[in-house]
Amino acid sequence: MNPDTGLIFLEDVKGAPVRVGEPVCVLGDTLDGSLDARFVGRRGTVVALVYDEPRTQYPADPLIQVRVEGLGEDLFFASELERAPEWAWFMALEPADEDLRGLELAP
């Protein structure tokens, strides 16, 4: 990415194919060598939208930075990702039971 012309958004961009924070599943074929096989079939969260060439990519064609727990982050094309169903949004926003351990809840 050319740092003089590239843009990285850590928040939603109107017209982008995904939203920051959205749960996704990495799809794809590793035969062409463009995908790290460790990510294929794994679920992750969109953390950024990257526009290497903003004049031609913005807003609908960013590289999508996805964080997969235990693996780290990588960039994907929208066609390499499957958006999670709407119910997954609510699950992603709810804290896991283990996150609640040790917290005192008001009566």
Side-chain angles (χ1 to χ4, degrees), residues 43-92:
R43 297 184 195 287
T45 304
V46 175
V47 294
L49 302 171
V50 179
Y51 296 91
D52 291 340
E53 297 293 332
R55 290 183 185 155
T56 59
Q57 292 177 299
Y58 187 86
D61 191 26
L63 286 168
I64 301 163
Q65 187 170 354
V66 175
R67 177 179 298 131
V68 174
E69 200 65 39
L71 288 180
E73 298 177 1
D74 205 350
L75 296 171
F76 302 94
F77 295 107
S79 61
E80 297 171 331
L81 301 173
E82 179 179 58
R83 298 177 77 183
E86 288 298 317
W87 58 263
W89 272 92
F90 298 109
M91 290 180 66

Side-chain angles (χ1 to χ4, degrees), residues 9 11-20 49 51 57-62:
F9 288 90
E11 55 194 38
D12 291 342
V13 172
K14 186 176 182 178
V18 294
R19 296 182 281 179
V20 173
L49 302 171
Y51 296 91
Q57 292 177 299
Y58 187 86
D61 191 26

